[in-house]
């Protein structure tokens, strides 16, 4: 059976005028309520019209409930109308003939809305933890038809269309349905395939058309491409009870945590300077971490980013693992290899700012949707990026959900949150008059504080055993206090004070160190105020700061000795450890993001000595509870002598939970060596050397602490430094030594 639609002359003039207006809106791509006009509509008791708008089509027929209906073009437009006897009971097919082809497809406007109103309520409230399950592009089955459901938050847009290679990037083809209660747009498009590219064409109230990538896309094109790519939602890594238990143990406050910070694009390159894939890195990098005895890997941001020079810190695709190294399944494999070998994996997360790329979040719907409109609140002067509006509930849902995505989908050990200080302070890097106080007249960003608290609360609740880490460079109180006790709820905080002071000290000429002794001792004043990680991160070897080895004073031998002594001091200092790649081989050049680490340096004994030092330090660290169990407690540390500024020698004791288990540490930060150096020790007995950075295996001078073959020293009854017992040792210049009591005398 077939039927022919009425032509325009059969319509009343008032209806023609209405249709003309609708057609004009369709033509210009500004149509806010497509379902009110397109699809099947009851015009009167006896008149049901099915309307389809297909640019460039020459003829259209419809297959509705097993009947074929011919349409008629409205005037000279691309609107085609069929008159039918009853409303369709299911989605119907269109067959469109073009000049050179014909195609049959389901009409998008014959599908019902399946928007989850409960989820939208939580999203608008700022508490939707898994927004990525609702927003973005999802392969699904709707009304027995396979396709992709698109969902977008753009409350101030006049119109939103989906554009892509499946509709020749036409902005007037797939208009989305608007839900004014939630500010969300939605459309189901049948029969799309994975790896098709798409964007959203958003018409602002001003009439401006903005093409935006999908904020929730699971994959994005590489630059210079800017489109999102259709992908099936990644299946979450299913963690066994044993895997969760392992995660809890390796991330616990009383666990040994030694983190190797890595930029995947430049850790190692393949032939022709190509990137290694996630799969290759799963073999090479995880094996290397195991070889070097690191407990964790920390990846600099891998959320999709357009500009290599941002190192990932200006991401556009927060839900898309960068495709530089492969697809998300390859990244899952990388994470699974870490789990297999009990190597923790942390990811840099950037909720503090976003870049100005036109396809990104800035002025997303023609208004300042994700950022503050006022530049004094919404723009970072340091990085030329935009600041999230943390007071907006939907932005909070977006960020909370992104944290949940990485932790839940990939089973990560945690997130290192970048630039927390810039989030906390409204006047961060701003002069007087360049910032707006909060409602109480203060400089605290109340929205950001609450957002961070919610991220941490929900992250720990939903992902047992993780660690949330703050890169926070100020004295903000309670960063690692629980939210219930008015803290921010992080598990760990980078100790930037220790890093700045100790690096400043270690770079000084040994002749002048005696005048700056406080720089190396001051960190113990606040060492237990937070749960700290001691970072020597990528930030210390870029932008003209020079490599760590080149910061060291003196000739080449002294540089290497100084660095070895400094590393051993760091590994003995209270706090977990983090070292950026290249530091373990004493890379001489500043880090560059576009080439590999200078692995060829390992041809030299001096560089091999640094690598062996770090490897041994990690091994000793993991095997000595005194070096990690009480990192956040004053009970785990006691000075032996912190006042020997004239010789620039420090000595202290690290205790395990079992107070009889301790390690004595002596650090000599001048080139002067000593045949007999006496210091007090906690108890009588025999002490064995477990680290001496002056050993020849580390490229040291080979001065032995003890003259006996067993490398041990015995206490005597000579009181020193407030202790009843003391030992006398030999000590090389620029050397750090660890001693462990192995037996009572």
């Amino acid at each position: 059976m077939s039927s022919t639609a009425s032509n325009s002359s059969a319509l009343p003039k008032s209806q023609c005028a209405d249709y003309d207006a609708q057609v004009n809106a369709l033509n210009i791509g500004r149509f806010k309520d497509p379902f009110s006009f397109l699809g099947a509509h009851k015009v009167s008791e006896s008149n049901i019209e099915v309307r389809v708008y297909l640019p460039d089509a020459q003829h259209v027929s419809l297959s509705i409930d097993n009947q074929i209906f011919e349409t008629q073009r409205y005037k000279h437009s691309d609107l085609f109308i069929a008159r039918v006897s009853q409303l369709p009971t299911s989605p119907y097919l269109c067959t469109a003939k073009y000049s050179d082809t014909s195609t049959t497809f389901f009409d998008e406007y014959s599908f019902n809305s399946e928007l989850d109103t409960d989820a939208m309520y939580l999203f608008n409230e700022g508490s939707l933890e898994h927004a990525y399950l609702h927003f973005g592009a999802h392969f699904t089955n709707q009304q027995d038809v396979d396709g992709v459901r698109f969902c977008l938050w753009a409350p101030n847009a006049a119109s939103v269309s989906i554009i892509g290679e499946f509709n020749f990037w036409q902005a007037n083809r797939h208009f989305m349905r608007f839900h004014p209660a939630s500010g969300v747009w939605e459309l189901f498009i049948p029969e799309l395939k994975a790896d098709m590219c798409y964007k959203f064409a958003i018409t602002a109230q001003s009439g401006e058309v903005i093409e935006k990538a999908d904020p929730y896309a699971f994959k994005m094109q590489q630059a210079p491409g800017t489109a999102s790519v259709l992908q099936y939602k990644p299946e979450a890594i299913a963690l066994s009870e044993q895997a969760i238990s392992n995660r809890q143990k390796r991330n616990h406050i009383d666990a040994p945590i030694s983190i190797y910070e890595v930029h995947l694009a430049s850790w190692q390159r393949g032939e022709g300077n190509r990137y290694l894939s996630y799969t290759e890195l799963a073999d090479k990098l995880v094996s290397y971490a195991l070889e070097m005895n690191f407990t964790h890997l920390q990846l600099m941001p891998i959320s999709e980013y357009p500009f290599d020079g941002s190192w990932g810190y200006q991401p556009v695709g927060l839900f898309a693992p960068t495709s530089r190294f492969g697809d998300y399944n390859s990244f899952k494999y990388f994470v699974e290899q870490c789990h297999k070998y009990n190597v923790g994996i942390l990811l840099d997360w950037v909720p503090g700012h976003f870049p100005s790329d036109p396809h990104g979040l800035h002025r997303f719907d023609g208004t300042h949707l994700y950022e503050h409109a006022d530049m004094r609140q919404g723009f970072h002067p340091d990085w030329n990026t935009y600041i999230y509006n943390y007071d907006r509930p939907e932005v909070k849902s977006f960020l909370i959900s992104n944290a949940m995505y990485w932790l839940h989908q990939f089973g990560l050990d945690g997130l290192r949150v970048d630039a927390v200080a810039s989030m906390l302070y409204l006047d961060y890097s701003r002069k007087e008059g360049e910032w707006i106080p909060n409602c109480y007249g203060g400089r605290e960003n109340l929205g950001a504080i609450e957002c961070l608290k919610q991220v941490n609360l929900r992250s720990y609740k939903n992902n047992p055993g993780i660690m949330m880490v703050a890169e926070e460079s100020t004295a903000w109180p309670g960063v690692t206090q629980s939210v219930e006790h008015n803290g921010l709820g992080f598990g760990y905080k980078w100790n930037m004070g220790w890093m700045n002071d100790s690096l400043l000290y270690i770079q000084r000429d040994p002749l002048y160190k005696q005048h700056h002794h406080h720089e190396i001792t001051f960190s113990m004043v606040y060492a237990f105020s937070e749960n700290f990680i001691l970072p020597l991160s990528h930030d210390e070897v870029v932008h003209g700061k020079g490599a760590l080895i080149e910061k060291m004073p003196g000739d080449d031998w002294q540089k290497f000795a100084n660095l070895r002594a400094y590393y051993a001091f760091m590994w003995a200092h209270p706090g977990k450890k983090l070292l950026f790649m290249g530091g373990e081989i004493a890379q001489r050049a500043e880090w560059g993001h576009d080439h590999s680490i200078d692995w060829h340096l390992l041809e030299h004994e001096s560089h091999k000595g640094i690598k062996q030092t770090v490897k041994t330090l990690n091994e000793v660290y993991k095997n000595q509870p005194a070096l990690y169990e009480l990192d956040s407690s004053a009970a785990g540390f006691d000075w032996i002598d912190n006042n020997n500024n004239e010789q620039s020698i420090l000595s202290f004791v690290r205790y395990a939970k079992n107070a009889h288990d301790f390690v004595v540490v002596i650090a000599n930060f001048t080139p002067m060596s000593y045949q007999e150096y006496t210091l007090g020790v906690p108890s009588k007995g025999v002490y064995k050397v477990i680290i001496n950075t002056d050993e020849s295996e580390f490229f040291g001078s080979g001065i032995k602490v003890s003259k006996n073959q067993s490398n041990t020293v015995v206490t005597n009854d000579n009181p020193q430094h407030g202790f009843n017992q003391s030992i006398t040792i030999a000590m090389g210049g620029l050397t750090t030594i660890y001693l462990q009591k192995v037996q009572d005398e």
Side-chain angles (χ1 to χ4, degrees):
M1 176 181 178
S2 64
S3 176
T4 303
S6 59
N7 60 28
S8 58
S9 62
L11 298 173
K13 287 185 177 180
S14 60
Q15 193 171 345
C16 279
D18 177 57
Y19 281 29
D20 289 343
Q22 304 280 25
V23 167
N24 182 61
L26 290 166
N27 286 339
I28 64 175
R30 182 169 178 167
F31 210 89
K32 192 164 192 174
D33 192 8
F35 284 83
S36 68
F37 182 69
L38 299 177
H41 293 274
K42 194 171 185 179
V43 179
S44 65
E45 285 300 321
S46 59
N47 187 7
I48 296 173
E49 291 182 352
V50 181
R51 310 177 192 121
V52 294
Y53 180 78
L54 296 172
D56 301 323
Q58 294 182 348
H59 180 267
V60 179
S61 61
L62 308 177
S63 175
I64 302 175
D65 297 333
N66 297 318
Q67 299 183 69
I68 303 299
F69 296 87
E70 301 298 330
T71 67
Q72 194 169 73
R73 186 188 298 273
Y74 175 75
K75 294 185 177 179
H76 298 291
S77 72
D78 290 318
L79 177 68
F80 295 83
I81 304 173
R83 181 174 293 172
V84 300
S85 56
Q86 61 183 19
L87 290 170
T89 59
S90 62
Y92 51 83
L93 288 165
C94 301
T95 298
K97 293 183 178 179
Y98 298 88
S99 60
D100 57 353
T101 188
S102 65
T103 181
T104 299
F105 54 91
F106 283 97
D107 182 13
E108 298 81 11
Y109 302 103
S110 64
F111 291 87
N112 301 325
S113 171
E114 292 194 358
L115 190 71
D116 187 330
T117 54
D118 290 339
M120 294 305 102
Y121 176 84
L122 295 176
F123 176 71
N124 295 136
E125 185 185 61
S127 60
L128 184 61
E129 294 181 350
H130 299 97
Y132 60 90
L133 299 179
H134 302 275
F135 290 89
H138 292 269
F139 284 90
T140 187
N141 182 281
Q142 193 161 318
Q143 293 168 258
D144 295 325
V145 177
D146 291 331
V148 176
R149 179 179 169 275
F150 296 85
C151 189
L152 183 76
W153 179 57
N156 305 307
S159 176
V160 179
S161 300
I162 303 160
I163 57 175
E165 57 185 278
F166 44 82
N167 62 15
F168 303 101
W169 303 94
Q170 295 180 100
N172 58 354
R173 176 64 183 87
H174 288 111
F175 296 95
M176 301 182 76
R177 174 196 275 119
F178 184 56
H179 297 268
S182 57
V184 168
W185 302 78
E186 172 219 15
L187 186 68
F188 176 78
I189 302 180
E191 302 176 325
L192 298 184
K193 305 298 181 184
D195 295 324
M196 287 181 167
C197 295
Y198 71 99
K199 280 186 177 181
F200 296 104
I202 300 173
T203 304
Q205 294 295 338
S206 64
E208 175 190 10
V209 179
I210 313 164
E211 294 186 1
K212 292 291 187 179
D214 183 356
Y216 291 88
F218 296 132
K219 184 177 180 180
M220 297 188 69
Q221 285 184 316
Q222 283 295 298
T226 59
S228 304
V229 182
L230 291 178
Q231 290 286 286
Y232 287 92
K233 183 183 75 65
E235 292 297 322
I237 291 177
L239 295 180
S240 65
E241 289 186 10
Q242 184 61 53
I244 293 173
S245 175
N246 290 343
R247 183 169 70 180
Q248 289 172 323
K249 290 175 182 177
R250 66 176 171 255
N251 298 329
H252 200 268
I253 194 67
D254 63 2
I257 295 177
S258 179
I259 303 166
Y260 187 52
E261 186 190 20
V262 177
H263 179 253
L264 290 183
S266 61
W267 176 71
Q268 195 176 106
R269 293 283 183 104
E271 292 183 10
N273 203 36
R274 68 169 179 85
Y275 296 134
L276 296 184
S277 67
Y278 290 124
T279 305
E280 290 173 303
L281 289 161
D283 176 30
K284 296 176 181 290
L285 179 54
V286 176
S287 297
Y288 184 71
L290 290 169
E291 175 198 344
M292 294 298 294
N293 295 309
F294 284 103
T295 64
H296 291 66
L297 292 171
Q298 180 175 304
L299 308 185
M300 290 168 68
I302 64 163
S303 298
E304 194 60 84
Y305 53 99
F307 176 47
D308 284 353
S310 77
W311 314 331
Y313 289 100
Q314 295 194 13
V316 170
L318 262 69
F319 291 84
T322 178
S323 56
R324 286 168 173 80
F325 318 114
D327 61 17
Y328 57 74
N329 282 322
S330 298
F331 178 63
K332 278 176 59 179
Y333 175 73
F334 177 85
V335 175
E336 287 168 340
Q337 288 299 103
C338 290
H339 291 168
K340 179 179 178 180
Y341 293 103
N342 201 26
V343 174
I345 177 167
L346 307 171
L347 188 66
D348 260 4
W349 187 54
V350 189
H353 60 119
F354 59 88
S356 58
D357 296 73
H359 64 293
L361 297 179
H362 175 51
R363 291 188 67 248
F364 191 78
D365 61 0
T367 68
H368 297 279
L369 190 61
Y370 284 86
E371 73 275 15
H372 283 281
D374 194 315
M375 295 285 276
R376 294 172 295 175
Q377 294 174 288
F379 187 75
H380 259 309
D382 287 353
W383 305 314
N384 292 321
T385 53
Y386 293 95
I387 302 170
Y388 288 102
N389 183 350
Y390 306 104
D391 297 310
R392 181 161 278 163
E394 295 86 354
V395 173
K396 196 180 299 181
S397 286
F398 174 74
L399 292 173
I400 290 172
S401 294
N402 189 241
M404 294 301 105
Y405 170 77
W406 290 104
L407 294 171
H408 173 72
Q409 291 293 130
F410 298 103
L412 302 180
D413 282 65
L415 301 174
R416 176 267 195 186
V417 184
D418 180 62
V420 170
S422 75
M423 299 172 67
L424 296 176
Y425 297 98
L426 294 166
D427 64 345
Y428 181 86
S429 196
R430 296 177 189 274
K431 300 175 183 176
E432 189 66 33
E434 295 179 348
W435 59 282
I436 300 174
N438 63 33
C439 60
Y440 302 108
R443 65 191 188 112
E444 300 82 10
N445 189 331
L446 302 179
I449 294 167
E450 181 59 27
C451 184
L452 288 170
K453 287 181 177 181
Q454 289 301 315
V455 166
N456 287 326
L457 273 174
R458 295 165 187 270
S459 295
Y460 278 108
K461 178 182 177 183
N462 295 329
N463 305 278
I466 63 159
M467 55 190 286
M468 299 294 286
V469 181
E471 186 217 7
E472 203 286 311
S473 56
T474 73
W476 184 279
V479 173
T480 58
Q481 288 291 316
S482 67
V483 173
E484 292 82 358
H485 291 87
N486 203 33
L488 293 181
F490 285 95
Y492 295 95
K493 172 183 172 175
W494 276 18
N495 193 337
M496 309 295 279
W498 171 87
M499 180 274 296
N500 285 316
D501 287 350
S502 65
L503 275 179
L504 189 63
Y505 174 83
I506 207 69
Q507 292 178 71
R508 297 188 184 280
D509 187 299
L511 184 64
Y512 302 112
K513 282 179 178 175
Q514 61 180 312
H515 306 298
H516 301 275
H517 200 64
H518 63 284
E519 291 172 350
I520 200 68
T521 62
F522 181 69
S523 59
M524 290 312 304
V525 172
Y526 58 86
F528 310 113
S529 60
E530 302 276 8
N531 302 330
F532 280 123
I533 292 174
L534 311 182
L536 290 176
S537 74
H538 67 276
D539 279 329
E540 314 321 316
V541 293
V542 291
H543 302 317
K545 296 176 184 176
L548 290 177
I549 189 66
E550 297 302 339
K551 297 179 193 290
M552 303 298 117
D555 59 26
D556 217 40
W557 188 93
Q558 289 182 354
K559 286 179 183 293
F560 281 90
N562 218 347
L563 187 60
R564 294 193 303 270
Y566 179 50
Y567 280 164
F569 166 73
M570 170 183 173
W571 257 253
H573 191 287
K576 311 309 182 185
K577 325 302 173 190
L578 180 141
L579 183 64
F580 181 56
M581 64 182 201
E584 82 281 10
I585 64 169
Q587 171 135 338
R588 289 187 178 272
E590 270 196 350
W591 168 58
H593 68 270
D594 56 357
H595 56 82
S596 172
I597 291 174
D598 293 333
W599 295 105
H600 64 274
L601 292 173
L602 291 175
E603 297 170 3
H604 304 282
E605 293 300 319
S606 54
H607 292 273
K608 285 201 299 190
I610 293 291
K611 182 184 177 188
Q612 186 62 38
T613 302
V614 173
K615 179 179 179 178
T616 305
L617 283 171
N618 276 330
E619 182 180 18
V620 169
Y621 172 62
K622 290 194 295 183
N623 291 329
Q624 295 294 331
L627 295 176
Y628 60 80
E629 279 190 343
L630 294 174
D631 270 330
S632 296
S633 171
F637 181 92
D638 196 6
W639 283 114
I640 296 175
D641 185 5
N642 64 330
N643 294 313
N644 189 354
N645 62 299
E646 290 185 3
Q647 292 175 297
S648 297
I649 296 176
L650 295 173
S651 51
F652 54 87
V653 185
R654 292 296 309 277
Y655 292 97
K657 290 179 180 179
N658 177 358
H660 297 291
D661 184 359
F662 58 86
V663 172
V664 173
V665 180
I666 312 102
N668 175 13
F669 288 121
T670 74
M672 288 292 296
S673 60
Y674 301 89
Q675 291 302 312
E676 294 186 346
Y677 185 85
T678 301
L679 71 156
V681 291
S683 62
K684 189 174 184 177
V686 179
Y687 288 72
K688 182 177 182 179
V689 178
I690 53 175
I691 279 283
N692 174 9
T693 63
D694 197 39
E695 292 280 6
S696 55
E697 66 171 315
F698 304 133
F699 193 64
S701 63
I703 293 177
K704 299 290 185 180
V705 172
S706 171
K707 294 180 180 179
N708 63 46
Q709 293 294 319
S710 61
N711 215 13
T712 58
V713 290
V714 181
T715 60
N716 57 60
D717 295 330
N718 177 24
Q720 288 286 335
H721 303 120
F723 294 95
N724 292 328
Q725 296 289 311
S726 64
I727 57 174
T728 299
I729 62 172
M731 180 167 52
L734 300 173
T735 297
T736 297
I737 296 166
Y738 298 177
L739 301 167
Q740 181 186 28
K741 184 180 171 184
V742 290
Q743 67 183 67
D744 294 329
E745 190 178 18

